[in-house]
Every structure is written in structure tokens, then in C-alpha cells.
Amino acid sequence: MDKTLFSDGLNGLDTKNKDAVTLYNEISLLAMKCAGDISETKGRRNAYYLSMEFLIGRSFYNNLMELGVLEETDKFLSGKGLDIRMFEEIEDAALGNGGLGRLAACFLDSAAGLGLPLHGYGIRYKYGLFKQAFKNGFQEELPDDWQRFGDPWSIRREDEKRLIEFADMKVYAVPYDMPVFGKRINRLRLFQAEGDGEAQKISEYLYPADDTKEGKILRLRQEYFFSAAALGELTEHFFKQYGKRFEKFPEYNVIQLNDTHPVICTAEFIRLLTVKYKFSFSSALDIAKRTFNYTNHTILPEALECWDEEYMRAVLPEIADIIIRISVYADREFQSLGCDKEQAKEMAIYKGGKFYMANLAVYIAGKVNGVAELHTEILKNDLFKTVNRFYPEKLQNKTNGITHRRWLELCNKELSELLDRTLNNNWRGDISRLNELNGFNGETADAFIEVKQTKKRQLLNYIKDREGVEIPENFLVFAQVKRLHEYKRQLMTAFAVLEVYYGVKSGKYHDLPPCAFIFGAKSAPSYRRAKTIIKFINEIAAKINSDVQCAERLKVVFVQNYNVSYAEKIVAGTDVSLQVSTAGLEASGTGNMKFMMNGAVTCGTMDGANIEIVERAGKENNYIFGATVEELARLKAEGYSPSEYLDNPERCKAVESLIDGTFSDGGTGNFKELYESLINEDNYFVLYDLESYVKTIIQVCTDCKDKKTFAAKQLANVANSAFFSSDRTIKQYAQDIWKI
Ligand SMILES: *Cc1c(COP(=O)(O)O)cnc(C)c1O
């Protein structure tokens, strides 16, 4: 970064009569000009991260921070009577859905921060994840045209575009490079599809509806499109430097497949080596096995992709043939290892006219990893147990992380400054030194109380402006923010809030301190039950917030359009982080880590990374409740009967409110459907865990009355959060898997 050039440019900037968008573009382009080029990657080993999603969020503030000119820009603007927050509404690249996409963005940030050569490949969607608004409490989806004010942080590389061929169409993949700033400048390369109308559709939407054949094929095209473009260029670059010695390709390139979406490129790689560079199939397969690694993100069956041969053949016949050939090699290998028929079938890549992409990934990948200890154990003992038996070296754990630059330094300047004052060390440069905060004294706890209050005030003001819901700042703030999914159990929180509400009204909880529940979540457009839960919570919020009897006691708000920027405010201003997934189903979670690092206690189940959070910060400083994986397994074996657990009047009333006319679902019948699914199945054990959940919430409320002791719990979470920096995660990937 040429800081002098930047300062000169900034000071020469004429801000008069310019709107926010113009200034945003001018300052961003100036920073891009002064930042320098993407770091040289030739002649050494590089790692590549292939991901269908990169949930980047705002680039402006983060990039200026990484480049070391955020403060200067802030000062410059205030000198002109302007507020740097004027750019907040301009951009928020949501090229992802949730945790998986945000993880990809955090990983790139950490690698650049650590000076490691890790580059991203993905899709430059024209429209990111939809913008959410509520109308009568129902979710509405609006297109997210994230480039409408320009895209100064990307550079189009027209000269490097490449043709991607399907059986029925050809399309150009045009690269756009987004530099990732840190100790070095890495590259996030996103491909845009260009060609005639049909071709362009490939990069139009993130996750187009795939409930039709056309939808499924479009999705398949997307996956092939970006991953084939990536492999096309990596092999070509290698060939230019080293000629045909592709057996050395894995010495210079290592590729990480983020979930099953890019797995199709393993077959593309073999196609390139055999067709273009004339390798034999078996040596191409061998080289592939030394190049790729795979990260599994979920054990939910709907996310383990499997493609109908018919669809694949319609658009990618050569790839279909190659996967079948890989499958033949795999079967032979399984037999030679002594697998029986059942075991071979379990691991089969091609069976019943379908391609099993997770099995393909696991077979080809040198290393397969889960994203938290419990999740990896479940992979080893359950989903991939046969793999683990015959390939015991393959499966490993890499617990997720979050970049502390965005999720602490940027989103919580006040806490960062407190850490600067208290720690007297370079924790920003080496986050592991945050551990030295353990043993903090009363003075630090007092200062922390003040910081938390400031962040809470900022958050509640923002919510008042955006949502029109006023929450007094003496309220204890609980938050559950994450994608809407039944397994994440926002519905259980909704019932818990109702139980508390009825208890407050009946006098059962007469001395409960005032508390607020913040929800934030988008539902997939076609996920009926998830949308019903949003409506239900909005109904609850309207009822409670308009009850004058409770005005000083309880507030509920479902914020609209939860995204990275909203998250930055919520994690900093929250007291209690709600992480209440059904045990065994949240692979890791990363929201839990963001809250922890900002000093919220976790109220959650023994699931995903929650387990590792409380292991480090102490169970006594967090609130764990609910059934464990083992308990649920026992319960399932014995036969679970949900209605048995409706044995208390408040709980009954809360659950029955779905059908007794308390709330309206607008005549859709959706509340009744939801109710029946609970009473008859309750696949996610909402009713089973509800009792202990409410008890735990009441316990948190009771404990928070002792401000100092409660702040000490929160601070203990900050002090032990260094492990959850993605710097740690990336170092582990770099050492154990990538060898960079
Ligand atoms: C961190 C983050 C997530 C992931 O949250 P989980 O609680 O781990 O599911 C999802 N969406 C956004 C916008 C995030 O910032």
C-alpha cells in the first residue's frame, strides 16, 4: 500500500456536491490504485478454495482497515462535515446463503492476513441472496442487485475469459478479481457467465429454485461452470510453466472443495488431463487424488448432492462417462481393500442411475474434514464410517473459525480499544495473545460493562430506526440470528418467549428483569415451514410489544434482511447468544463464535462448536441445556412421543397458540400444519427440550441481576475466544492439509 499516494489522493478529493455513491466509488478506486498488485504466485505452491458461495458483506470498511487507512479516511470525511457511515447502505455483497459462504470469506481474510497463498474461485452472481422485507409479518423476497452502485473492488479480466462447453451451449466465463488484502494480496476470482440469453442465466442467481428439471440442470451448469473454469486455468498455467509434467501438478497446486458443489471439477480435471494432455485414465486419477481435498459441512441428507444420470448426460455427457469410470476404479479399489458388498455399496459413486457427489469427493480427496470435533466424530462413526474403516488416515477435524479482524476489530472498536489498554500486547497481530486476558480484574470488568452498554445502545438505536421497535437499553438482550431452518429451532425460542410472556402476565415470573429477544433470519423462498415460523414469530412480537402490561418487561423483534452488516452490529450489542440446534445437527456454527468473541454468553445445546466454546470458556460461564446426541439416540430407539411433554399450562398455551386463534396465519392453514408436524413427529425435538430451555432462560435472567458477576462470565468468553479465530483454522489447514 502506497500510503503517501493515498493521502495525497484523499486530500485532493473534492467532496462538494458529491453524493455518497460517487464518494464511495472515488475513495474505493483510490484505495485500489494505491494498494498494489495481487501478490506473485508463480513458482511456488498455492492453495485454491473452490466455493459456490462467498458471503463477503461490505468491502469498503474492511478493505480500508486492512490497508491501514480507515482511520485517516474517517478523519478526512469528518473534517469535511461528513460521516463515514454514509456508505453503509451502498453495498453488501451477499454472494452466499449463510455460514458456509461466510466461512469461505473468513478463510480468505485469514490467509491474506497470515501471508499464505490461498485464492478463491467462485461465481459472480448478478443477484445475491434476496433482500428480505416483511409484509403483514410474512417474508417478501426482493432481488439483490448488489452492483447497482458500481463494483469498485473488482477488476474485470476480459483477456483471461475462457469458453466453457456444455452439450447444448457454450458460455464464456469472464473473471472478475477481488483482491483480498492482508500481509499479502490474494485473489478471489469470480466468474461471470456471458453469451446469449440462456448462457447468461448461469451466473444470474444464487441458488435458483431447483424444484423443476430446468432448475436442477441450471444448478448443475453453475457448479460445472465455475469449477471447470478454475481447473481450466490452473492446468493451463501449469502447462505454460512446466509443460506436460502434470505428475508434478500436486506439488504446486492444492485444491480445497467447499462442500459438494464444486466436486464435479474432479471429473473435469481428469477430462482435461486425458483429452487435452493425453494422460492415461489411471495416472490422471492418481494425480487428481493428490490434488483435491474436501470439506463436509452437514450430515443433513438434503445437502448431500446426488445427480440423476439423465440430467448430467443431457448437458455434460463426457463428464457423466468419466464419473462412471471413476466409479469402476473405486469399486475395484474397495474390493481390493476387502470391503464386502454392503460396504462397497455404501461408498459407491454411481448407483441406481445416480451420481453421489459426496462419495465421489471422499474417494478422490486426499483429506476429508469435518468442521467441529463432534461433527467429525459423527462423520467417522456414522455418515462415513466405512470410509473411516478402510481409509483411516483420510478423515480429520478442522474446527471452523471467524476472522477477528471483521468480527472484533471492525465491528467492535470499543472492545478492541479496551483490549489494547488492558493487554499491552500485539493481540491484533497475534490473536492467540488474547488468552492473556484470563485473570482480568474488577476494573476490566467495569470497563467491559461500559463497552457492552455502548454497543447495545448503538444496536438498539439502529433497530429502532430500521424496524420501528423501541427497546430500552436497560434490557438484557438475547439474540438468535442465522438462516431459518427447523433444525436450528427458532420455533423453540418462539415457544420459550411465549412461555416467559405468559409467566410474566400470570405473576409466575414477577421479578424477572427486563429482557428482549432479537431474531434475524431469511427463509429459503420455497421452504414453507420456515416461512410459517417467521410469520409466527412476527405475530408473537406484535402481541407482546403492544401489551402495555409488559412494556417494561419484555420485547421481541424480528429484524428484516439479516445479513453480514446487520450481524456485525448484533454480535457486538448482544448479551446472550442463542445456539439451540438439535444436538448432532449443527455441524459447527460460526455465529456462536462471533458472539463469544464479543462477550456474549452462549445459551445453547451440546452441539457443533458450542461444545468447544464451553470447553474453553467454562461451562460455568455459559448456559448449556437440552438433550445430548446420545440422549436423543436413546429417545429415538425407545420411541419419542412429543405430546407427552406438553405437561405444563404455560407450555401448553404457548404451543396451542398455533391453533387456538391467538394468532393469525392469514388463513393459509400453515400454523395448523406446523402444529400437527410437532404433535405427530417433532423431528427436531422441540417439545422435548423446551422445558429445560425455558428454565435456562430464567436462570440467565436471574444471574444477570448481579451485573459484575455476569460481566465476568461474558469477559471469560472474550478471553478464551482466540481459538475461534479463523487464523488458527487456516494455520491448521495450511500445516495439515495444504502444506503451504
Ligand atoms: C455468521 C453468519 C451466518 C452463520 O450463522 P450460524 O449461526 O453459524 O448459522 C449466517 N449468516 C450471516 C449473515 C452470518 O454473518
Side-chain angles (χ1 to χ4, degrees), residues 135-194:
K135 198 170 173 187
N136 295 326
F138 290 105
Q139 168 174 296
E140 281 201 328
E141 296 120 29
L142 309 160
D144 169 41
D145 184 4
W146 65 280
Q147 302 160 28
R148 71 195 180 287
F149 297 123
D151 176 20
W153 300 105
S154 297
I155 308 157
R156 182 180 165 98
R157 303 282 188 200
E158 181 73 34
D159 51 324
E160 294 184 54
K161 72 179 177 193
R162 125 187 342 269
L163 198 63
I164 303 295
E165 299 188 34
F166 296 93
D168 55 345
M169 70 163 77
K170 290 187 169 68
V171 49
Y172 277 109
V174 183
Y176 280 74
D177 288 345
M178 284 185 165
V180 187
F181 302 114
K183 223 178 246 162
R184 47 175 286 139
I185 306 181
N186 286 329
R187 169 191 283 122
L188 167 58
R189 175 162 279 198
L190 301 178
F191 294 105
Q192 176 166 296
E194 295 184 13

Coordinates of all heavy atoms in Angstrom, one line a residue, residues 135-194:
K135 N -44.1 -8.2 5.2 CA -45.4 -7.5 4.9 C -46.4 -8.3 5.6 O -46.6 -9.5 5.4 CB -45.6 -7.6 3.4 CG -46.6 -6.6 2.9 CD -46.7 -6.5 1.4 CE -47.8 -5.6 0.9 NZ -47.9 -5.7 -0.5
N136 N -47.1 -7.6 6.5 CA -48.0 -8.3 7.5 C -47.4 -9.5 8.2 O -48.0 -10.5 8.4 CB -49.2 -8.8 6.7 CG -50.1 -7.7 6.1 OD1 -50.2 -6.6 6.7 ND2 -50.6 -8.0 4.9
G137 N -46.1 -9.4 8.4 CA -45.4 -10.4 9.1 C -44.9 -11.6 8.2 O -44.3 -12.5 8.7
F138 N -45.3 -11.5 6.9 CA -44.8 -12.6 6.0 C -43.5 -12.1 5.3 O -43.3 -10.9 5.0 CB -45.9 -12.8 4.9 CG -47.1 -13.5 5.4 CD1 -48.3 -12.8 5.5 CD2 -47.1 -14.9 5.6 CE1 -49.5 -13.5 6.0 CE2 -48.2 -15.5 6.1 CZ -49.4 -14.8 6.2
Q139 N -42.7 -13.1 5.0 CA -41.4 -12.8 4.3 C -41.7 -12.4 2.8 O -42.5 -13.1 2.2 CB -40.5 -13.9 4.3 CG -39.3 -13.8 3.4 CD -38.2 -14.9 3.5 OE1 -37.6 -15.0 4.5 NE2 -38.1 -15.7 2.5
E140 N -41.1 -11.3 2.4 CA -41.2 -11.0 1.0 C -39.7 -11.0 0.4 O -38.8 -10.6 1.1 CB -41.7 -9.6 0.7 CG -43.2 -9.5 0.8 CD -43.7 -8.3 0.1 OE1 -43.0 -7.2 0.1 OE2 -44.8 -8.3 -0.4
E141 N -39.6 -11.5 -0.8 CA -38.2 -11.6 -1.4 C -38.1 -10.6 -2.5 O -38.9 -10.5 -3.4 CB -38.0 -13.0 -1.9 CG -38.0 -14.0 -0.8 CD -39.1 -15.1 -1.0 OE1 -39.5 -15.3 -2.1 OE2 -39.6 -15.6 0.0
L142 N -37.0 -9.7 -2.4 CA -36.8 -8.7 -3.4 C -35.4 -9.0 -4.0 O -34.5 -9.5 -3.3 CB -36.8 -7.3 -2.8 CG -38.0 -7.0 -2.0 CD1 -37.8 -5.9 -1.0 CD2 -39.2 -6.8 -2.9
P143 N -35.2 -8.8 -5.3 CA -33.9 -9.1 -5.9 C -32.8 -8.2 -5.3 O -33.0 -7.0 -4.9 CB -34.1 -8.7 -7.4 CG -35.3 -7.9 -7.4 CD -36.2 -8.3 -6.3
D144 N -31.6 -8.8 -5.1 CA -30.5 -8.1 -4.5 C -29.5 -7.7 -5.7 O -28.6 -8.5 -6.0 CB -29.8 -8.9 -3.5 CG -28.4 -8.3 -3.1 OD1 -28.4 -7.1 -2.9 OD2 -27.5 -9.1 -2.9
D145 N -29.7 -6.5 -6.2 CA -28.9 -6.1 -7.3 C -27.6 -5.4 -6.7 O -27.6 -4.1 -6.7 CB -29.7 -5.1 -8.2 CG -28.9 -4.7 -9.4 OD1 -27.8 -5.1 -9.6 OD2 -29.5 -3.8 -10.2
W146 N -26.7 -6.2 -6.2 CA -25.6 -5.6 -5.4 C -24.7 -4.7 -6.1 O -23.9 -4.0 -5.5 CB -24.9 -6.7 -4.7 CG -24.1 -7.6 -5.6 CD1 -24.7 -8.6 -6.4 CD2 -22.8 -7.6 -5.9 NE1 -23.7 -9.3 -7.1 CE2 -22.5 -8.6 -6.9 CE3 -21.7 -6.8 -5.5 CZ2 -21.2 -8.9 -7.4 CZ3 -20.4 -7.1 -6.0 CH2 -20.2 -8.1 -7.0
Q147 N -24.7 -4.8 -7.5 CA -23.7 -4.0 -8.2 C -24.3 -2.6 -8.7 O -23.7 -1.9 -9.4 CB -23.2 -4.7 -9.4 CG -22.5 -6.0 -9.2 CD -22.5 -6.9 -10.4 OE1 -22.5 -6.4 -11.5 NE2 -22.5 -8.2 -10.2
R148 N -25.5 -2.3 -8.2 CA -26.2 -1.2 -8.8 C -25.5 0.1 -8.6 O -25.7 1.1 -9.4 CB -27.7 -1.1 -8.4 CG -27.9 -0.7 -7.0 CD -29.3 -1.0 -6.5 NE -29.5 -0.6 -5.1 CZ -29.1 -1.3 -4.1 NH1 -28.3 -2.3 -4.3 NH2 -29.3 -0.9 -2.8
F149 N -24.7 0.2 -7.6 CA -23.9 1.5 -7.3 C -22.5 1.3 -7.8 O -21.6 2.1 -7.4 CB -24.0 1.8 -5.9 CG -25.4 2.1 -5.4 CD1 -25.9 1.4 -4.3 CD2 -26.2 3.1 -6.0 CE1 -27.2 1.7 -3.9 CE2 -27.5 3.4 -5.5 CZ -28.0 2.7 -4.5
G150 N -22.2 0.3 -8.6 CA -20.8 0.1 -9.0 C -20.2 -1.0 -8.2 O -20.8 -1.5 -7.3
D151 N -19.0 -1.4 -8.7 CA -18.3 -2.5 -8.0 C -16.8 -2.2 -8.1 O -16.1 -2.8 -8.8 CB -18.6 -3.8 -8.7 CG -17.8 -5.0 -8.1 OD1 -17.4 -4.9 -7.0 OD2 -17.7 -6.0 -8.8
P152 N -16.4 -1.1 -7.3 CA -15.0 -0.6 -7.5 C -14.0 -1.6 -7.0 O -12.8 -1.5 -7.3 CB -15.0 0.6 -6.6 CG -16.1 0.5 -5.6 CD -17.2 -0.3 -6.4
W153 N -14.4 -2.7 -6.2 CA -13.4 -3.6 -5.6 C -13.1 -4.8 -6.5 O -12.4 -5.7 -6.1 CB -13.9 -4.1 -4.2 CG -14.1 -2.9 -3.3 CD1 -15.3 -2.4 -2.9 CD2 -13.1 -2.2 -2.6 NE1 -15.1 -1.3 -2.0 CE2 -13.7 -1.2 -1.8 CE3 -11.7 -2.2 -2.6 CZ2 -13.0 -0.3 -1.1 CZ3 -11.0 -1.3 -1.9 CH2 -11.6 -0.3 -1.1
S154 N -13.7 -4.8 -7.7 CA -13.4 -5.9 -8.6 C -12.7 -5.4 -9.9 O -13.0 -4.2 -10.3 CB -14.7 -6.6 -9.1 OG -15.4 -7.2 -8.0
I155 N -11.9 -6.2 -10.5 CA -11.3 -5.9 -11.7 C -11.6 -6.9 -12.8 O -11.4 -8.1 -12.6 CB -9.7 -5.8 -11.6 CG1 -9.3 -5.0 -10.4 CG2 -9.1 -5.3 -12.9 CD1 -7.9 -5.3 -9.9
R156 N -12.3 -6.5 -13.8 CA -12.6 -7.4 -14.9 C -11.4 -7.8 -15.7 O -10.6 -7.0 -16.0 CB -13.7 -6.7 -15.8 CG -14.2 -7.6 -17.0 CD -15.2 -6.8 -17.8 NE -15.4 -7.4 -19.1 CZ -16.5 -8.2 -19.3 NH1 -17.4 -8.4 -18.4 NH2 -16.6 -8.8 -20.5
R157 N -11.3 -9.1 -16.0 CA -10.1 -9.6 -16.7 C -10.6 -10.2 -18.1 O -10.6 -11.4 -18.3 CB -9.4 -10.7 -16.0 CG -8.9 -10.3 -14.6 CD -7.6 -9.4 -14.7 NE -7.1 -9.2 -13.3 CZ -6.3 -8.2 -13.0 NH1 -5.9 -7.3 -13.9 NH2 -5.8 -8.1 -11.8
E158 N -11.0 -9.3 -18.9 CA -11.5 -9.6 -20.2 C -10.6 -10.6 -21.0 O -11.0 -11.6 -21.6 CB -11.7 -8.3 -21.0 CG -12.3 -8.5 -22.4 CD -13.7 -8.9 -22.4 OE1 -14.5 -8.4 -21.5 OE2 -14.1 -9.6 -23.3
D159 N -9.3 -10.3 -20.9 CA -8.3 -11.1 -21.7 C -8.1 -12.5 -21.2 O -7.5 -13.3 -21.8 CB -6.9 -10.3 -21.6 CG -6.5 -10.0 -20.2 OD1 -7.4 -9.6 -19.4 OD2 -5.3 -10.0 -19.9
E160 N -8.6 -12.8 -20.0 CA -8.5 -14.1 -19.4 C -9.8 -14.9 -19.5 O -9.9 -15.9 -18.8 CB -7.9 -14.1 -18.0 CG -6.5 -13.5 -18.0 CD -5.9 -13.6 -16.6 OE1 -5.9 -14.7 -16.0 OE2 -5.5 -12.5 -16.1
K161 N -10.7 -14.4 -20.2 CA -12.0 -15.2 -20.3 C -11.8 -16.5 -21.0 O -10.9 -16.7 -21.7 CB -13.1 -14.4 -21.0 CG -12.9 -14.2 -22.5 CD -14.1 -13.4 -23.0 CE -13.9 -13.2 -24.5 NZ -14.8 -12.2 -25.1
R162 N -12.7 -17.4 -20.7 CA -12.5 -18.8 -21.2 C -13.8 -19.4 -21.5 O -14.8 -19.1 -20.9 CB -11.6 -19.6 -20.2 CG -12.0 -20.8 -19.6 CD -11.1 -21.3 -18.5 NE -9.8 -20.6 -18.5 CZ -8.7 -21.1 -19.1 NH1 -8.8 -22.2 -19.8 NH2 -7.6 -20.4 -19.1
L163 N -13.8 -20.3 -22.6 CA -15.0 -20.8 -23.1 C -15.3 -22.1 -22.3 O -14.5 -23.0 -22.2 CB -14.9 -21.1 -24.6 CG -16.2 -21.3 -25.3 CD1 -17.1 -20.0 -25.3 CD2 -15.9 -21.7 -26.8
I164 N -16.5 -22.2 -21.8 CA -17.0 -23.4 -21.1 C -18.0 -24.1 -22.0 O -19.0 -23.4 -22.4 CB -17.5 -23.1 -19.7 CG1 -16.5 -22.3 -18.9 CG2 -18.0 -24.3 -19.0 CD1 -15.3 -23.1 -18.5
E165 N -17.8 -25.4 -22.2 CA -18.7 -26.0 -23.2 C -19.7 -27.0 -22.5 O -19.3 -27.9 -21.7 CB -17.9 -26.8 -24.2 CG -17.1 -25.8 -25.0 CD -16.4 -26.5 -26.2 OE1 -17.0 -27.4 -26.8 OE2 -15.2 -26.1 -26.5
F166 N -21.0 -26.9 -22.8 CA -22.0 -27.9 -22.4 C -22.4 -28.5 -23.8 O -22.2 -28.0 -24.8 CB -23.2 -27.2 -21.8 CG -22.8 -26.6 -20.4 CD1 -22.5 -25.2 -20.4 CD2 -22.8 -27.3 -19.3 CE1 -22.2 -24.6 -19.2 CE2 -22.5 -26.7 -18.0 CZ -22.2 -25.4 -18.0
A167 N -23.1 -29.7 -23.6 CA -23.5 -30.4 -24.9 C -24.4 -29.4 -25.7 O -24.3 -29.5 -27.0 CB -24.3 -31.6 -24.5
D168 N -25.2 -28.6 -25.1 CA -26.1 -27.8 -25.8 C -25.8 -26.3 -25.8 O -26.6 -25.5 -26.3 CB -27.5 -28.0 -25.3 CG -27.6 -27.7 -23.8 OD1 -26.5 -27.6 -23.2 OD2 -28.6 -27.5 -23.2
M169 N -24.7 -25.9 -25.2 CA -24.4 -24.4 -25.3 C -22.9 -24.2 -24.9 O -22.3 -25.0 -24.3 CB -25.3 -23.6 -24.3 CG -25.1 -23.9 -22.9 SD -25.8 -22.6 -21.8 CE -27.5 -23.0 -21.8
K170 N -22.5 -23.1 -25.4 CA -21.1 -22.6 -25.0 C -21.3 -21.3 -24.3 O -22.1 -20.5 -24.6 CB -20.3 -22.4 -26.2 CG -19.9 -23.7 -27.0 CD -18.9 -23.3 -28.1 CE -18.3 -24.5 -28.7 NZ -19.1 -25.4 -29.5
V171 N -20.5 -21.1 -23.3 CA -20.6 -19.9 -22.5 C -19.2 -19.4 -22.1 O -18.3 -20.2 -21.8 CB -21.5 -20.1 -21.3 CG1 -21.1 -21.3 -20.5 CG2 -21.5 -18.9 -20.4
Y172 N -19.0 -18.1 -22.1 CA -17.8 -17.5 -21.6 C -17.8 -17.3 -20.1 O -18.8 -16.8 -19.6 CB -17.5 -16.2 -22.3 CG -16.8 -16.3 -23.6 CD1 -17.6 -16.0 -24.8 CD2 -15.5 -16.8 -23.8 CE1 -17.0 -16.1 -26.0 CE2 -15.0 -16.9 -25.0 CZ -15.7 -16.6 -26.2 OH -15.1 -16.7 -27.4
A173 N -16.7 -17.7 -19.5 CA -16.5 -17.5 -18.1 C -15.5 -16.3 -18.0 O -14.4 -16.4 -18.3 CB -15.9 -18.7 -17.3
V174 N -16.1 -15.1 -17.6 CA -15.2 -13.9 -17.6 C -14.8 -13.7 -16.2 O -15.7 -13.5 -15.3 CB -16.0 -12.7 -18.2 CG1 -15.0 -11.5 -18.2 CG2 -16.5 -13.0 -19.5
P175 N -13.5 -13.7 -15.9 CA -13.1 -13.5 -14.5 C -13.2 -12.0 -14.0 O -12.9 -11.1 -14.8 CB -11.6 -13.9 -14.5 CG -11.3 -14.3 -15.9 CD -12.4 -13.9 -16.8
Y176 N -13.6 -11.9 -12.8 CA -13.5 -10.6 -12.0 C -12.7 -10.9 -10.8 O -13.0 -11.8 -10.0 CB -14.9 -10.1 -11.6 CG -15.7 -9.5 -12.7 CD1 -16.2 -10.2 -13.8 CD2 -15.9 -8.1 -12.7 CE1 -17.0 -9.6 -14.8 CE2 -16.6 -7.5 -13.7 CZ -17.1 -8.2 -14.8 OH -17.8 -7.6 -15.8
D177 N -11.6 -10.1 -10.6 CA -10.8 -10.4 -9.5 C -11.1 -9.4 -8.4 O -11.1 -8.2 -8.6 CB -9.3 -10.2 -9.9 CG -8.8 -11.4 -10.7 OD1 -9.6 -12.4 -10.7 OD2 -7.8 -11.3 -11.4
M178 N -11.3 -9.9 -7.2 CA -11.4 -9.1 -6.0 C -10.1 -9.3 -5.2 O -9.9 -10.4 -4.7 CB -12.6 -9.5 -5.2 CG -13.9 -9.1 -5.7 SD -15.2 -9.5 -4.5 CE -16.5 -8.5 -5.1
P179 N -9.3 -8.3 -5.0 CA -8.1 -8.5 -4.2 C -8.5 -8.7 -2.7 O -9.5 -8.1 -2.2 CB -7.3 -7.2 -4.3 CG -8.1 -6.3 -5.2 CD -9.4 -7.0 -5.5
V180 N -7.8 -9.6 -2.0 CA -8.0 -9.8 -0.6 C -6.8 -9.3 0.1 O -5.7 -9.8 -0.1 CB -8.2 -11.3 -0.3 CG1 -8.6 -11.5 1.2 CG2 -9.2 -12.0 -1.2
F181 N -7.0 -8.2 0.9 CA -5.8 -7.5 1.5 C -5.4 -8.1 2.8 O -6.2 -8.5 3.6 CB -6.1 -6.1 1.6 CG -6.5 -5.4 0.3 CD1 -7.8 -4.9 0.1 CD2 -5.6 -5.3 -0.7 CE1 -8.2 -4.3 -1.0 CE2 -6.0 -4.7 -1.9 CZ -7.3 -4.2 -2.1
G182 N -4.1 -8.1 3.0 CA -3.5 -8.5 4.3 C -2.0 -8.4 4.2 O -1.5 -7.5 3.6
K183 N -1.3 -9.3 4.8 CA 0.1 -9.3 4.7 C 0.5 -9.5 3.3 O 1.6 -9.0 2.9 CB 0.7 -10.5 5.6 CG 1.9 -10.1 6.4 CD 2.4 -11.2 7.3 CE 2.2 -10.9 8.7 NZ 2.2 -12.1 9.6
R184 N -0.2 -10.2 2.5 CA -0.1 -10.3 1.1 C -1.4 -10.1 0.5 O -2.5 -10.0 1.2 CB 0.5 -11.6 0.6 CG -0.1 -12.9 1.2 CD 0.5 -14.1 0.6 NE 0.0 -14.3 -0.7 CZ 0.7 -14.7 -1.7 NH1 2.0 -15.0 -1.5 NH2 0.2 -14.9 -2.9
I185 N -1.4 -9.8 -0.9 CA -2.7 -9.6 -1.5 C -3.1 -10.9 -2.3 O -2.4 -11.2 -3.3 CB -2.7 -8.4 -2.4 CG1 -2.2 -7.2 -1.7 CG2 -4.0 -8.1 -3.0 CD1 -2.1 -5.9 -2.5
N186 N -4.1 -11.6 -1.8 CA -4.5 -12.8 -2.6 C -5.6 -12.4 -3.5 O -6.1 -11.3 -3.5 CB -4.9 -13.8 -1.5 CG -3.7 -14.5 -0.9 OD1 -2.7 -14.6 -1.4 ND2 -3.9 -14.9 0.4
R187 N -6.1 -13.4 -4.2 CA -7.1 -13.2 -5.3 C -8.4 -14.0 -5.0 O -8.3 -15.2 -4.8 CB -6.5 -13.6 -6.6 CG -7.5 -13.6 -7.8 CD -7.0 -14.2 -9.0 NE -6.1 -13.3 -9.7 CZ -4.8 -13.5 -10.0 NH1 -4.3 -14.7 -9.7 NH2 -4.1 -12.6 -10.7
L188 N -9.5 -13.3 -5.0 CA -10.7 -14.0 -5.1 C -11.2 -13.8 -6.5 O -11.5 -12.6 -7.0 CB -11.8 -13.5 -4.1 CG -13.2 -13.9 -4.4 CD1 -13.3 -15.4 -4.3 CD2 -14.2 -13.3 -3.3
R189 N -11.3 -14.8 -7.3 CA -11.7 -14.7 -8.7 C -13.1 -15.3 -8.9 O -13.3 -16.5 -8.7 CB -10.7 -15.5 -9.6 CG -11.0 -15.5 -11.1 CD -9.9 -15.8 -12.0 NE -9.1 -14.6 -12.2 CZ -8.2 -14.5 -13.2 NH1 -8.0 -15.5 -14.0 NH2 -7.5 -13.4 -13.4
L190 N -14.0 -14.4 -9.3 CA -15.4 -14.8 -9.5 C -15.7 -14.7 -11.0 O -15.3 -13.8 -11.7 CB -16.3 -13.9 -8.7 CG -16.1 -13.8 -7.2 CD1 -17.0 -12.8 -6.6 CD2 -16.3 -15.2 -6.6
F191 N -16.3 -15.8 -11.5 CA -16.6 -15.9 -12.9 C -18.0 -15.4 -13.2 O -18.9 -15.8 -12.6 CB -16.4 -17.3 -13.5 CG -15.0 -17.8 -13.4 CD1 -14.6 -18.7 -12.4 CD2 -14.0 -17.3 -14.3 CE1 -13.3 -19.2 -12.4 CE2 -12.7 -17.8 -14.3 CZ -12.3 -18.7 -13.3
Q192 N -18.1 -14.6 -14.3 CA -19.4 -14.2 -14.8 C -19.7 -14.9 -16.1 O -18.8 -14.9 -16.9 CB -19.4 -12.7 -14.9 CG -20.6 -12.1 -15.5 CD -20.6 -10.5 -15.3 OE1 -20.6 -10.0 -14.2 NE2 -20.5 -9.8 -16.4
A193 N -20.9 -15.4 -16.3 CA -21.2 -16.1 -17.5 C -21.7 -15.1 -18.5 O -22.5 -14.2 -18.3 CB -22.4 -17.1 -17.2
E194 N -21.1 -15.2 -19.7 CA -21.5 -14.3 -20.8 C -21.7 -15.1 -22.1 O -21.0 -16.0 -22.4 CB -20.5 -13.2 -21.0 CG -20.4 -12.2 -19.8 CD -19.5 -11.1 -19.9 OE1 -19.0 -10.8 -21.1 OE2 -19.2 -10.4 -18.9

